[in-house]
Amino acid sequence: MSGHHPARSRRATERKGDVRERAILDTCEALLAQKGYDAMTVGDIAQGAGITRGALYFYFGSKQEVVTALVARTVEHLWERSRATAQADEPRQAIAAAMQRTVELWNEHGLVMRTAIDLSLTVPEIGELWSHTADLFIAAITAVLERAGVEAGTEPEQASAMARALCWMIERTFYHASQESRENLQEASSTCEHIWLISAGLIT
Amino acid sequence: MSGHHPARSRRATERKGDVRERAILDTCEALLAQKGYDAMTVGDIAQGAGITRGALYFYFGSKQEVVTALVARTVEHLWERSRATAQADEPRQAIAAAMQRTVELWNEHGLVMRTAIDLSLTVPEIGELWSHTADLFIAAITAVLERAGVEAGTEPEQASAMARALCWMIERTFYHASQESRENLQEASSTCEHIWLISAGLIT
DNA sequence: ATTAAATTCGACGCCGTGTAGACTCTCCAG
DNA sequence: CTGGAGAGTCTACACGGCGTCGAATTTAAT
C-alpha cells in the first residue's frame, strides 16, 4: 500500500534490532526444545542468534527476560486466536470447537506453553501471563457450562468452580500428552471433551 | 537409588550420620518453604543443618540428590497412608474417603508435593517417583469408576483414560489451592469430588 | 592401643551470570 | 564530506554457586 507520500514512509518499522530480537527469541525456542531451560545458557542463545553474550544483554536484561518475552509472544498469539474463534451457541458445538482449537494450540506451541507452566512459579511475570491466560479459558468454560444449564455461581458445585477444575484438568492432561505424541494429544482431547460434556449434563 | 553412597546403614542402631541426614532433609524442607528451590543454596542447607558444605557432600552427591531424598521420604509416606486406607466397597463412600485423604495429604505435605511436581521435568528421578505415585492414584480411580459402572478399557471414553484425566485435574487443582489456604483446599476438594461423582455416573 | 572406617573441614577449580567500558557502524545535519 | 549521536557489538572482569580434593579429626572395632 505504499502510496506516493515522499519521505514519510521509510522502513520505519524494520530496525536491525528487531530482526535480532526475533532471532534471539527463535533461537531460545529452539534451544528450549533441545536442551531445556536449565541446560540452556545465555551463551548458547547468543551463539545461536549469531551474536555474543554481551550483545544479547543489550536486548534483554537477563535469561529470564528472554524467556518471558518468548512466552509473551506466544501467549499473545493464543489470545488472538481465542478472540478470532467464533463462539457457537450450541454448547455441544462450542465444546467440540474449543477442544479442537486447544489441540491445535498445543500442537503448535506445546513446548512454550509447557515451559510457561514450569516457570510460572519461579518467574512471577510468566506466572502472571499464564494465570491471566487461564482466567480467559476459565471464563469461556464457565459460560458454556451456564448455557448448558449448570447453576451459575462460585460455590464448589456451581459453574465457576467446576470450570476452574476442568481448566486445570485440560491443562495438565495436555501438558503430559503433548510430551508424548500427536496421537496422545488427540486421545487426551477426546477424554477431556467427554468429561466436560458429562459435567455439563449434556450426556450421561 | 543409584550408586554407592557412604552413609548406608549397616547397623540397625542409630548412627550419628542418620541424625545428620534427617537434619539435612528437615532443613531442606524448611528452606524450600522459605526461599524456594532456586534461591536455596547448598550452603544454606548445610548451615541450617549445622555443618559445612563439604560435610554435606559426604551425605549427598548434589543439591538435586538432597531434594530427591526429601521427595522420596514424603512420597513413601503417601504410599504408606494410601495402603493403610481401607478400600470401601460402595463407590460413593470410596470417593468421599479418597478425597478426604487427599485433603489431608496436601495439608500436611503440600509444599514437598508441589516441589516434586515442579522438579519432575528437570530431575528425572523425581519425575519417576511422582509418576509412579500418580499411577497408583490413577489405578485407584480406575477401580472406583469401573465399580460404578463405567466401561473398562483404555479408549478415550473408558475408565482408564478418564481416571487419568481426573487424576491430573485433582493434582492441578490441589496444587493451586494448596498455595492459597486451607479453605480453598476444602472447596477444591468438594468441586473435584463433584466432578468425579458425575463422571462415574453416580449423580446427574 | 592400634587401626580402619566414619566424619568434618577449608580451600580450590569450573562454569554461568551479569556488568563495564571501549570500539564500530549507520545515518543525518551542517 | 564530515563529525557526532545513538544503536549495536565486542572483550574482559567480578561475583557467586556447585562439586571435588586431600588432609585433619573423631568414632568404633579388634
Side-chain angles (χ1 to χ4, degrees), chain B:
Chain B
M1 270 241 175
S2 67
H4 35 49
H5 279 306
R8 231 53 222 136
S9 60
R10 205 193 58 191
R11 261 190 185 236
T13 53
E14 277 268 315
R15 314 243 310 204
K16 191 175 178 185
D18 295 338
V19 179
R20 283 259 188 269
E21 201 167 315
R22 237 178 324 177
I24 292 172
L25 259 38
D26 291 340
T27 305
C28 179
E29 187 165 357
L31 286 175
L32 226 37
Q34 185 176 357
K35 327 179 66 169
Y37 179 78
D38 289 331
M40 173 184 70
T41 79
V42 176
D44 292 335
I45 304 175
Q47 187 176 5
I51 56 178
T52 61
R53 275 170 19 88
L56 189 145
Y57 277 99
F58 174 78
Y59 294 99
F60 298 97
S62 69
K63 180 181 174 182
Q64 291 191 346
E65 249 181 49
V66 176
V67 86
T68 301
L70 175 61
V71 169
R73 178 172 89 170
T74 304
V75 151
E76 207 141 332
H77 193 219
L78 296 199
W79 297 344
E80 197 179 317
R81 165 115 30 137
S82 295
R83 235 179 288 116
T85 306
Q87 309 276 27
D89 271 355
E90 217 289 291
R92 256 169 284 247
Q93 288 176 16
I95 291 174
M99 292 310 298
Q100 184 53 37
R101 194 188 64 206
T102 305
V103 169
E104 289 165 10
L105 288 176
W106 280 87
N107 265 328
E108 204 171 339
H109 301 110
L111 175 77
V112 178
M113 292 168 80
R114 284 202 305 275
T115 53
I117 292 170
D118 291 331
L119 296 180
S120 282
L121 245 196
T122 51
V123 186
E125 300 183 359
I126 293 183
E128 195 67 30
L129 243 27
W130 190 250
S131 87
H132 180 209
T133 305
D135 284 341
L136 291 182
F137 280 89
I138 291 171
I141 296 174
T142 303
V144 172
L145 288 181
E146 290 179 0
R147 214 174 309 141
V150 175
E151 186 183 3
T154 59
E155 291 301 302
E157 296 172 13
Q158 296 175 333
S160 193
M162 285 181 67
R164 173 166 249 97
L166 289 173
C167 177
W168 296 144
M169 173 185 75
I170 294 170
E171 183 207 271
R172 207 60 183 164
T173 300
F174 277 77
Y175 176 101
H176 281 114
S178 77
Q179 278 178 315
E180 307 289 338
S181 67
R182 305 226 155 179
E183 291 73 36
N184 284 28
L185 217 47
Q186 198 58 55
E187 289 187 11
S189 171
S190 299
T191 303
C192 290
E193 182 172 348
H194 185 238
I195 293 182
W196 188 354
L197 285 166
I198 292 179
S199 300
L202 297 170
I203 57 180
T204 54

Side-chain angles (χ1 to χ4, degrees), chain A residues 78-129:
Chain A
L78 297 200
W79 297 345
E80 197 180 315
R81 164 120 26 143
S82 295
R83 234 179 289 116
T85 307
Q87 311 276 24
D89 273 355
E90 217 288 292
R92 254 170 285 246
Q93 287 176 15
I95 291 175
M99 293 309 298
Q100 185 52 38
R101 194 187 64 206
T102 305
V103 170
E104 287 166 11
L105 289 176
W106 280 88
N107 265 329
E108 204 169 340
H109 300 110
L111 174 79
V112 178
M113 290 167 83
R114 284 203 304 275
T115 53
I117 292 171
D118 293 330
L119 296 179
S120 282
L121 246 194
T122 51
V123 186
E125 299 183 0
I126 292 182
E128 195 68 30
L129 243 27

Side-chain angles (χ1 to χ4, degrees), chain A residues 133-182:
Chain A
T133 305
D135 284 341
L136 291 183
F137 280 88
I138 292 171
I141 297 174
T142 303
V144 172
L145 288 180
E146 290 178 0
R147 215 174 308 141
V150 175
E151 187 182 5
T154 59
E155 292 301 302
E157 298 171 14
Q158 295 173 334
S160 192
M162 287 181 65
R164 173 164 250 97
L166 290 172
C167 177
W168 297 144
M169 172 185 76
I170 294 169
E171 183 206 271
R172 206 62 183 163
T173 300
F174 276 76
Y175 177 101
H176 282 114
S178 76
Q179 278 178 313
E180 307 290 336
S181 66
R182 306 225 153 178

